[in-house]
Amino acid sequence: MAIEYVKVKREIFTGSNPGERDLARLYRNQDVDLDMIAESISNSTTLSYADVLAVLKSLELEISRNVLNGSAVKLGFLGAFIPSIKAKSQLDVDKVDANTITRFSCRFYPSTKFKHTLKTVKFQEANLEVKGLVEYVFRLW
């Protein structure tokens, strides 16, 4: 299976050759939510949908709780959720306090093994033709 992309035109403002350019963009035809993941795991294991969903919801809560407490959450092969801050620099160490922190965020960092796996992904252009659309439009007239 390959990841799909579409061709788009974009105005490029930086670099040595600014102007209108063509490039590939990721085509996401369907996002996956927690319910869909729970159903898929339930179908491929002996666990019930409700049990899987309960564990996934608990995992979601635990990740957010730990990140909000300033802890990194490492999920093995997948990678880690790492909290971080941005802060204003000060000339004097005594002036550094909580008010100099301007932003708290969380980033996902894939593990080394997952990064290696990401490099093996194949791509194909998405087929955006809607079958039957032309015939249907003509039938309306």
Side-chain angles (χ1 to χ4, degrees), residues 22-135:
D22 297 302
L23 64 130
R25 287 282 187 215
L26 184 66
Y27 175 69
R28 294 182 0 212
N29 60 0
Q30 182 180 8
D31 290 342
V32 178
D33 64 14
L34 216 55
D35 289 328
M36 295 166 82
I37 291 172
E39 187 174 331
S40 178
I41 292 172
S42 176
N43 290 337
S44 64
T45 66
T46 59
L47 300 171
S48 73
Y49 168 81
D51 290 338
V52 174
L53 187 60
V55 169
L56 291 176
K57 289 302 272 179
S58 294
L59 176 64
E60 185 178 59
L61 292 171
E62 281 301 306
I63 290 171
S64 63
R65 183 181 65 78
N66 283 286
V67 168
L68 290 172
N69 284 329
S71 298
V73 178
K74 298 179 181 179
L75 298 175
F77 172 78
L78 196 57
F81 292 92
I82 312 279
S84 66
I85 61 171
K86 295 263 186 206
K88 295 180 199 170
S89 63
Q90 303 297 314
L91 293 174
D92 186 4
V93 71
D94 294 331
K95 292 185 179 182
V96 174
D97 61 15
N99 294 321
T100 62
I101 298 171
T102 59
R103 187 174 67 140
F104 179 74
S105 63
C106 176
R107 300 211 42 191
F108 174 75
Y109 293 92
S111 70
T112 305
K113 288 181 182 179
F114 191 38
K115 267 191 216 177
H116 177 70
T117 304
L118 293 173
K119 292 178 183 177
T120 65
V121 169
K122 304 287 186 234
F123 298 94
Q124 70 182 24
E125 187 173 355
N127 180 3
L128 299 180
E129 286 184 22
V130 179
K131 294 183 180 176
L133 182 62
V134 173
E135 296 86 7

